[in-house]
Amino acid sequence: MTNKRKASLIAALLLLFTAVGIVYGRNMNKENGSQLTLNSGILKENRSILIHLPDNYESSGLSYPVIYRFDGDKKLMHKTVSDLSKLSSKSENIPDMIVVAIENTQRDRDMWPTHGMYYPESQPLGAENFLAFIEEELIPYVETNYRTTKKRIVCGQSLSAVFTLYTFLSKPYLFDSYIACSGAFPGCEPFFKELSNTAFQQSSEFDNKKLFITHGLKDPLDADGTIHRQMTDFSESVKKNLGKKVSCKYLFYEKEGHVPADSFRDGVAFLFDNGN
């Protein structure tokens, strides 16, 4: 076979794999995981989505909760599935779940809801549109094409944890539970204070919601403790203004840095603790 023919064959195979979705997963079969592309009219771009199904999805006939993760890639997906597997092996309270991971295109644009010292006014804000994409395009696609219980969990980390808190305050009805790993209001605390004040006036929209926030006290991005103070104040404000409507926990790790390693697992354990 000539080099030209080999190149043509490789190109054809790559095109085929792109069209049908790259298959991956815990058992490396199409029942467990796939990659698909959604053409977003809201974002005016294609978005790559990774979806992992429970092992027995095809045969069980059951419906499952869905956990949505930002900053999605295969490494994050495998870690998420591994963490959920470990949790469910230790507790009957942790159900099998469908995992949906959203890959990034322009992360800063999508995650920043306001301009500030870390995101200049010369750059376009995209958080509102990205949230509309999730609400109007992604979630309807998932709930139309897969058996779901309509119970939704969302998890972000670092900058996408900022977006997670923005989602919690601006559209609390969209998810049942929120996990913000290394949540913060970096250079934009006044924006979030105003957003919180507005959101808390509509307290009924927060009925039965759960919010879990983490922070590492050795985070190099928080040398002066500003973020720790922000998240302490914010979690106390949630409890004060929303009371028992929301189960809220702020967990900080004394010896951990940015995005503490156990943030996600501790968050899921908190969400499914019967005591909450």
Side-chain angles (χ1 to χ4, degrees):
M1 183 181 292
T2 65
N3 289 336
K4 184 176 181 179
R5 287 190 63 190
K6 287 181 180 178
S8 298
L9 178 59
I10 291 172
L13 289 173
L14 287 174
L15 181 62
L16 175 62
F17 290 143
T18 300
V20 301
I22 300 172
V23 174
Y24 70 96
R26 186 162 43 187
N27 295 326
M28 298 298 289
N29 59 56
K30 66 181 180 181
E31 285 77 22
N32 276 62
S34 59
Q35 180 175 12
L36 57 90
T37 299
L38 292 184
N39 181 269
S40 172
I42 294 173
L43 299 176
K44 296 180 174 54
E45 64 181 10
N46 292 330
R47 296 303 297 243
S48 178
I49 309 297
L50 308 177
I51 298 181
H52 190 282
L53 304 176
D55 284 342
N56 62 346
Y57 178 86
E58 294 298 329
S59 60
S60 72
L62 299 174
S63 296
Y64 299 89
V66 182
I67 183 160
Y68 293 82
R69 295 215 64 176
F70 302 125
D71 299 324
D73 57 24
K74 293 181 183 179
K75 181 179 179 180
L76 181 74
M77 175 62 86
H78 283 298
K79 185 179 187 308
T80 301
V81 173
S82 175
D83 284 346
L84 291 175
S85 178
K86 291 175 183 176
L87 285 167
S88 62
S89 68
K90 295 179 180 179
S91 172
E92 295 181 353
N93 294 333
I94 310 295
D96 288 333
M97 288 184 255
I98 296 171
V99 183
V100 177
I102 310 166
E103 292 192 317
N104 290 320
T105 54
Q106 298 183 52
R107 186 175 188 251
D108 284 0
R109 176 204 66 187
D110 289 343
M111 302 301 169
W112 281 110
T114 185
H115 292 114
M117 60 185 293
Y118 297 109
Y119 194 66
E121 292 189 11
S122 60
Q123 299 298 316
L125 294 174
E128 185 175 351
N129 281 343
F130 187 56
L131 188 52
F133 158 71
I134 294 168
E135 178 179 16
E136 299 174 29
E137 295 178 331
L138 178 58
I139 290 175
Y141 176 87
V142 171
E143 295 187 352
T144 297
N145 289 277
Y146 300 93
R147 301 191 309 273
T148 78
T149 62
K150 303 297 191 295
K151 181 178 179 64
R152 307 170 194 148
I153 302 165
V154 67
C155 178
Q157 48 283 320
S158 191
L159 180 52
S160 63
V162 177
F163 181 79
T164 299
L165 295 175
Y166 166 71
T167 302
F168 172 76
L169 292 170
S170 58
K171 294 192 176 183
Y173 60 84
L174 198 53
F175 296 94
D176 298 279
S177 302
Y178 297 77
I179 301 173
C181 307
S182 281
F185 304 142
C188 55
E189 189 172 13
F191 169 84
F192 274 96
K193 282 188 175 180
E194 183 176 350
L195 185 62
S196 298
N197 291 335
T198 301
F200 294 158
Q201 292 175 20
Q202 307 294 326
S203 62
S204 61
E205 294 190 4
F206 291 88
D207 284 347
N208 300 314
K209 303 302 177 183
K210 295 185 177 182
L211 174 63
F212 183 83
I213 307 169
T214 70
H215 178 62
L217 295 186
K218 293 188 178 299
D219 189 337
L221 301 180
D222 190 34
D224 63 357
T226 295
I227 293 175
H228 179 43
R229 189 266 307 161
Q230 287 177 348
M231 293 300 96
T232 299
D233 290 350
F234 177 66
S235 61
E236 291 302 318
S237 179
V238 169
K239 294 173 184 177
K240 177 182 177 181
N241 287 279
L242 299 177
K244 294 183 179 180
K245 293 180 182 296
V246 174
S247 295
C248 176
K249 182 174 183 177
Y250 170 46
L251 179 63
F252 55 89
Y253 304 76
E254 294 186 0
K255 298 181 180 181
E256 293 282 337
H258 196 56
V259 187
D262 290 335
S263 291
F264 175 71
R265 271 191 287 179
D266 289 343
V268 173
F270 168 75
L271 299 183
F272 290 95
D273 181 354
N274 286 338
N276 290 322

